Amino acid sequence: MKTKAAVLYEYGSPLVVDELELAAPKEREVLVKNKAAGLCHTDLSVIKGAVRMPPLPCIPGHEGAGVIQEVGSGVTKIKPGDSVLLMWVPICGQCYYCLRGQPYLCAEKDKTRSGTMLDGTCRLRKGNQNIHSMLGVGCFSEYNVVSERSVLPIDPSIPFDLAAVAGCGVITGVGAVINKAKVKAGSTVAVMGAGGVGLNVIQGAVLANATKILAIDILDRKLELAKFFGATHVINASREDPLKKVMEITQGIGVDYAFEAIGNAETTLTTYQMIRRGGCAVVVGVPDLEAKLTLPLYEIPLLEKSILGCNYGAGEPRIDLITLLELYKAGRIHLEKLVTQRYCLEEINAGFKDMEAGRNARGMIIYS
Ligand SMILES: [Zn+2]
Ligand SMILES: [Zn+2]
């Protein structure tokens, strides 16, 4: 069949909305009609070539939701018509990481990181050229074929754009707080960056009953959103020294937990400096592959400051994503306010420009 998709042919150049050939799903694969796909900062990093993930040409997009159209042989748990959320780790359940309770690090990730199906081949083509799909899902395509392990059936009453945003921004931010940092009730939390992930760190800190939640950004409109999501203090780093301000608010102690949700070496260092003795800094933002971090090493043993990495919410995504959607239905987390602008596929480059200008919490592609 044919599908319309936004293709990255060259790093640093705009996506090209093109018509591609899509092969039918093979064994244990499914054909998805995407309904919504979020614009995540990691997509922009791939487009710019800062994160050279799948070989080119490729379809970026890893935060999506849609409807199953067709299933390949051996697929038993999903059927045409099911609403699904796309998962960017095709959890196998039996590798070294899965068996140790870290399915978000599943070894199968190494295959989809190269932009192919689990059997190493591609389903999308332009003429004779294979087109790769970012993380095995490539959501910036109206239709795509993915592994059955890359889809999670969801409650069909949940709007697709809200399910999509849960699939990366929400699970990443909330998971960092609940699963990785394990923020204790009564804690102080700082968040560097109040974008799609940072706002969800704030929601996570609210769920964890943190008492002070400090949001840092350089844009007032993002800080306004941060307040809506539960920040108790906001710091505009373009006007105030964020470290000084955090120390002031915490009576010179520093915060118990700080989260970096930008992906920048300089702001990661500031995030680390904000934590108190015995505190914990969690790096959630994805930096350029060349970025390096220099820390005063003595602080790690003597002040017992720790720095942790966190990917995909550091939990069991198949459980956590459903839990997040249930929390949304129960009115305990916000999803609507995360989606600040909707675009059609043809407007995708404008959507990324808006992202770069800091105009969106989440921009969302809506397929007709
Ligand atoms: Zn993402
Ligand atoms: Zn695994």
Side-chain angles (χ1 to χ4, degrees), residues 164-336:
V165 74
C168 183
V170 183
I171 189 171
T172 299
V174 175
V177 175
I178 307 283
N179 297 328
K180 182 53 76 167
K182 299 187 169 69
V183 168
K184 292 194 187 103
S187 303
T188 53
V189 170
V191 185
M192 180 66 82
V197 171
L199 292 172
N200 286 297
V201 169
I202 296 170
Q203 306 214 74
V206 171
L207 285 173
N209 290 317
T211 45
K212 282 187 183 148
I213 304 172
L214 289 56
I216 303 144
D217 205 286
I218 51 170
L219 295 170
D220 286 329
R221 66 171 163 270
K222 291 200 173 176
L223 293 171
E224 278 309 309
L225 265 177
K227 280 192 213 160
F228 172 84
F229 279 88
T232 57
H233 299 72
V234 294
I235 303 167
N236 186 319
S238 71
R239 294 196 296 267
E240 310 181 271
D241 176 349
L243 184 56
K244 228 171 107 186
K245 197 72 197 164
V246 167
M247 289 303 168
E248 209 179 289
I249 296 167
T250 57
Q251 284 86 40
I253 290 173
V255 289
D256 300 321
Y257 305 90
F259 296 82
E260 206 282 346
I262 299 173
N264 170 285
E266 200 187 322
T267 51
T268 301
L269 179 61
T270 312
T271 304
Y272 170 81
Q273 289 168 327
M274 283 171 185
I275 57 173
R276 64 164 171 87
R277 273 181 239 166
C280 168
V282 182
V283 180
V284 189
V286 179
D288 292 1
L289 296 186
E290 306 303 319
K292 300 268 188 298
L293 179 65
T294 306
L295 294 174
L297 188 55
Y298 80 94
E299 293 187 4
I300 292 177
L302 294 185
L303 304 184
E304 217 188 52
K305 290 174 75 169
S306 55
I307 183 158
L308 301 174
C310 184
N311 192 243
Y312 205 11
E316 166 46 277
R318 292 171 298 185
I319 297 170
D320 293 352
L321 288 165
I322 296 300
T323 303
L324 289 166
L325 296 178
E326 289 297 321
L327 284 169
Y328 161 71
K329 285 201 289 183
R332 310 255 326 261
I333 61 169
H334 303 286
L335 297 180
E336 284 99 349

Side-chain angles (χ1 to χ4, degrees), residues 106-126:
C106 178
E108 296 288 61
K109 220 169 154 168
D110 298 335
K111 296 181 187 164
T112 49
R113 198 181 288 133
S114 61
T116 63
M117 305 301 295
L118 295 177
D119 70 1
T121 63
C122 294
R123 300 290 166 267
L124 285 164
R125 248 178 331 104
K126 174 79 184 176

Side-chain angles (χ1 to χ4, degrees), residues 92-93 95 98 106-107:
C92 78
C95 71
C98 283
C106 178

Side-chain angles (χ1 to χ4, degrees), residues 77-90:
K77 295 198 176 89
I78 312 149
K79 58 183 186 313
D82 285 354
S83 292
V84 292
L85 196 157
L86 289 155
M87 297 197 299
W88 44 268
V89 176

Side-chain angles (χ1 to χ4, degrees), residues 135-149:
L135 298 174
V137 290
C139 303
F140 297 153
S141 180
E142 203 176 353
Y143 293 88
N144 210 341
V145 169
V146 304
S147 164
E148 66 170 345
R149 292 193 208 140

